[in-house]
Amino acid sequence: MKQHIFFFDIDGTISDGFNGGKHEISAILKQALKELKKQGHLIFIATGRPFAYLNDDILSCEFDGYILSNGSVAMKDGKILKEIILPKEVVKELVAAMEVNKSRYFLDYITEVYFSKTGSEENELFGNSNSIHLEIGCGK
């Protein structure tokens, strides 16, 4: 049998979290994921989320790898294969500009997320033209 790699999104695909759900994966899907692995296939998560936003229910499915932060981080078997990181100077410039404009923002890097203390809290993640998400992390 030929091995395949299956990629799954989280929100609205394997989890109904944005529809009032608990961000849980159904028992039927968990069984299907186990069956795919049993058949020798690889299962990956591909999401806009950083690793810090993967809950225990998702991690319990023992995915072979993760494409995180909209492709900024790629992991397989617990090892980072790729990461795109903005240089620290660029992040500082962007943050300074957002602070001056009273923009709400958050920065993420694999297991850490920083939320700004300034800006509008109304619709802070979606639909707010004054909000930004630097998905490619903050520089080392």
Side-chain angles (χ1 to χ4, degrees):
M1 176 188 257
K2 196 172 184 181
Q3 183 183 52
H4 297 281
I5 303 174
F6 293 86
F7 293 89
F8 299 92
D9 183 30
I10 298 173
D11 301 305
T13 304
I14 65 170
S15 168
D16 64 353
F18 281 127
N19 293 322
K22 299 178 184 176
H23 293 285
E24 293 178 346
I25 300 173
S26 73
I28 293 169
L29 182 54
K30 284 182 181 181
Q31 186 57 41
L33 293 171
K34 283 181 185 178
E35 188 60 32
L36 285 172
K37 287 184 70 84
K38 184 177 171 183
Q39 292 175 12
H41 301 298
L42 301 175
I43 57 172
F44 278 69
I45 285 289
T47 182
R49 295 180 182 202
F51 192 83
Y53 282 10
L54 303 182
N55 65 26
D56 290 339
D57 196 48
I58 292 166
L59 296 174
S60 73
C61 292
E62 299 179 14
F63 285 93
D64 295 293
Y66 304 90
I67 308 298
L68 304 163
S69 297
N70 291 322
S72 298
V73 176
M75 299 172 68
K76 183 176 183 298
D77 300 325
K79 295 183 180 123
I80 297 172
L81 303 177
K82 172 194 168 192
E83 60 183 340
I84 299 172
I85 301 174
L86 286 174
K88 200 179 273 188
E89 294 73 31
V90 172
V91 173
K92 285 180 180 180
E93 286 179 36
L94 289 168
V95 166
M98 289 183 280
E99 293 285 339
V100 165
N101 292 305
K102 296 183 176 31
S103 297
R104 187 148 184 91
Y105 61 90
F106 63 102
L107 311 170
D108 68 55
Y109 179 73
I110 303 175
T111 59
E112 301 172 36
V113 178
Y114 169 79
F115 288 87
S116 68
K117 294 176 177 72
T118 61
S120 171
E121 292 186 27
E122 185 176 302
N123 299 317
E124 68 182 41
L125 297 180
F126 301 100
N128 182 346
S129 62
N130 286 334
S131 99
I132 189 167
H133 176 196
L134 297 179
E135 294 166 342
I136 53 181
C138 28
K140 291 182 178 179

